[in-house]
Amino acid sequence: MKTMTKKPEILAPAGTLEKLKVAIRYGADAVYIGGNRFGLRSRAGNFSYDEMKEGVDFAKHHHAKVYVAANMVTHEGDEEGAGEFFRTLRDIGINAVIVSDPALIEICAIEAEGLPIHLSTQASATNYETLNFWHQEGLERVVLAREVSMEEIKEIRQNTDVEIEAFIHGAMCISYSGRCTLSNHMSNRDANRGGCSQSCRWKYDLFEIPRPGEQTSVLAGDPVEDFSMSAVDMSMIRHIPDLVENGVDSLKIEGRMKSIHYVSTVSNVYRKAIDTYCRDPENYVFKQEWENELWKVAQRELASGFYYGTPTENEQLFGKRRKIPAYAFIGQVLEYNAETQIATIQQRNNFGVGDVVEFYGPGFTHAYQTIEQLWDETDVPIERAPKAMMIVKMKVNTPVKPFDIMRKKK
């Protein structure tokens, strides 16, 4: 008989304050964000100290946590100001920092005493001896390398008391995570200091050059097959029991630069699946609708990464690919009048009369309908809502709630 020991944390990405609030409303127990320094997403919507404070207050109100990623690899001079940075995070109320560089770990431990430190996946922790080493150094959690298998997680859990965090959904590196320098060479942007240009996602060709000035593609054919180093994305929605039963404490979703549509959908799905399993492990049944929901925000094919064996060419973007259904985030519910069935919507993308739309909300609620009438905020009838962030009203036959999201298939 299966017994539950501990429900794992769902840890969602939050590239902006708005995404932080969305992630928590849609089921995340914790979010990870970036500050203006020391992180690996220099182009994400990194947080100011004031935004961090507002995010921490919101999270506390919803019994959630906020972690800050400060996981860059420092070169000489990069660590300047780190002590003050970490002290400020501690005083704001950040729950932990995610760090990979030993220099930053030491600075944080000495100059910001009391601020918990988690080891970043960039440090490539793949065995329990490594976890125990960092535990002895005062770290309370280690984010495992994406290359760790499920069998290795089982062994790690049996030999250490440190908290284990593991990725369960999102983009994968084609190189060993945290060790890639393609971007450095190809675009002079340092991947390990926040500037990755994702060179592995580019399209490549292979040429024969018989003499200077002449080149012929050796990949030419029908159909043309672009050379690719691009990995498919990870999804562990089918394997929740393995993650929980092998003692993973925190289930991490990748994507601080992803959209509100992505953050809300993925958090919502994993919240539903994990709650369903933990409520009754013995009678748990995977629901295909959960995976179908993830496909609505997928950008690439989905696979289970390294958890059940080394990825093959089937986990790279070669050959004919599955056609991924494209959905657009078109609005967010601000208010709903149950008597009139009129919803007030903040527009996020163009939509209009005749469109078939879907509403979804926290708790995995869904409703579909065709838009029959639209009014602007002054109650004037309109055919479409083309202006960004405009306020519109429409009749919604199924009750919806504030912060529910409206989308449509492209």
Side-chain angles (χ1 to χ4, degrees):
M1 182 177 178
K2 295 179 181 178
T3 58
M4 273 302 304
T5 55
K6 180 182 177 183
K7 182 185 288 189
E9 169 188 270
I10 297 176
L11 176 56
T16 64
L17 184 58
E18 183 181 23
K19 293 174 188 176
L20 178 151
K21 295 178 180 180
V22 166
I24 292 172
R25 286 192 179 108
Y26 277 77
D29 300 297
V31 295
Y32 62 101
I33 66 175
N36 288 324
R37 294 190 64 190
F38 308 111
L40 283 185
R41 290 292 181 269
S42 61
R43 295 169 185 265
N46 293 315
F47 284 58
S48 66
Y49 292 136
D50 287 341
E51 289 172 327
M52 286 185 187
K53 181 66 171 64
E54 183 176 344
V56 166
D57 291 343
F58 181 87
K60 284 182 178 178
H61 181 73
H62 290 81
H63 309 290
K65 297 180 179 181
V66 180
Y67 309 138
V68 171
N71 52 349
M72 72 181 296
V73 175
T74 58
H75 290 230
E76 289 299 333
D78 288 340
E79 76 285 355
E80 291 180 9
E84 181 182 358
F85 177 77
F86 289 128
R87 284 194 299 274
T88 303
L89 300 193
R90 179 196 61 190
D91 296 342
I92 285 173
I94 293 298
N95 296 97
V97 288
I98 307 168
V99 189
S100 64
D101 193 301
L104 292 181
I105 290 173
E106 185 174 33
I107 290 170
C108 183
I110 293 173
E111 300 202 29
E113 186 177 357
L115 178 61
I117 304 171
H118 297 172
L119 188 73
S120 170
T121 192
Q122 298 298 120
S124 303
T126 56
N127 59 77
Y128 70 81
E129 290 93 341
T130 296
L131 271 69
N132 285 333
F133 168 82
W134 287 112
H135 200 197
Q136 292 165 9
E137 294 297 309
L139 276 64
E140 64 179 39
R141 179 185 293 184
V142 170
V143 187
L144 296 179
R146 288 179 175 91
E147 295 76 19
V148 172
S149 70
M150 192 62 68
E151 281 298 313
E152 289 172 323
I153 289 178
K154 182 178 181 179
E155 184 174 1
I156 289 170
R157 179 72 293 161
Q158 292 171 347
N159 289 279
T160 183
D161 293 327
V162 70
E163 290 184 7
I164 294 173
E165 184 177 306
F167 280 91
I168 59 166
H169 197 92
M172 293 284 288
C173 294
I174 198 67
S175 180
Y176 207 93
S177 299
R179 298 290 181 265
C180 182
T181 57
L182 282 176
S183 178
N184 301 57
H185 292 293
M186 294 182 174
S187 59
N188 199 30
R189 285 169 48 182
D190 192 335
N192 293 304
R193 284 197 283 175
C196 182
S197 60
Q198 297 197 23
S199 305
C200 60
R201 302 292 188 192
W202 300 353
K203 296 293 185 182
Y204 292 90
D205 206 337
L206 185 63
F207 296 97
E208 180 182 14
I209 305 177
R211 55 183 63 85
E214 297 182 12
Q215 65 180 34
T216 304
S217 171
V218 301
L219 301 179
D222 187 20
V224 174
E225 175 65 79
D226 293 314
F227 179 70
S228 173
M229 290 181 284
S230 187
V232 303
D233 286 357
M234 177 196 291
S235 174
M236 288 292 285
I237 191 61
R238 289 178 172 268
H239 308 286
I240 295 300
D242 283 353
L243 292 160
V244 178
E245 291 166 17
N246 285 301
V248 179
D249 298 283
S250 180
L251 307 179
K252 189 169 192 173
I253 299 164
E254 183 275 338
R256 278 199 290 131
M257 297 179 71
K258 298 287 181 67
S259 67
I260 290 170
H261 184 205
Y262 171 91
V263 170
S264 60
T265 299
V266 178
S267 299
N268 213 11
V269 170
Y270 281 98
R271 176 81 280 154
K272 182 67 173 179
I274 291 163
D275 286 351
T276 300
Y277 176 76
C278 292
R279 186 166 52 247
D280 188 2
E282 193 69 29
N283 297 301
Y284 173 80
V285 177
F286 168 76
K287 300 290 182 64
Q288 183 58 48
E289 64 182 3
W290 300 337
E291 189 169 66
N292 294 344
E293 188 79 357
L294 293 176
W295 276 107
K296 293 179 181 179
V297 293
Q299 295 180 318
R300 309 175 187 96
E301 294 281 346
L302 300 175
S304 57
F306 286 82
Y307 281 112
Y308 301 101
T310 302
T312 68
E313 68 276 8
N314 295 322
E315 284 72 53
Q316 290 180 248
L317 296 178
F318 288 120
K320 187 176 181 180
R321 299 163 198 167
R322 171 174 172 172
K323 187 176 181 181
I324 298 175
Y327 284 77
F329 166 33
I330 59 174
Q332 186 172 45
V333 177
L334 301 179
E335 185 180 347
Y336 181 74
N337 187 314
E339 291 184 6
T340 62
Q341 295 186 309
I342 299 297
T344 303
I345 310 290
Q346 183 185 63
Q347 185 261 30
R348 295 301 182 97
N349 268 299
N350 192 320
F351 64 90
V353 173
D355 288 345
V356 178
V357 299
E358 174 190 358
F359 289 91
Y360 69 93
F364 209 69
T365 61
H366 292 82
Y368 300 83
Q369 78 168 66
T370 300
I371 299 176
E372 297 175 352
Q373 289 179 291
L374 271 180
W375 300 269
D376 67 14
E377 60 183 325
T378 63
D379 298 323
V380 174
I382 56 176
E383 287 296 310
R384 300 204 67 78
K387 299 177 182 178
M389 306 295 281
M390 70 182 293
I391 306 301
V392 300
K393 300 176 182 179
M394 62 178 283
K395 187 173 182 179
V396 180
N397 300 326
T398 303
V400 292
K401 298 177 181 178
F403 307 111
D404 282 3
I405 286 177
M406 185 170 72
R407 63 183 167 203
K408 68 175 182 179
K409 193 172 183 178
K410 292 183 181 179

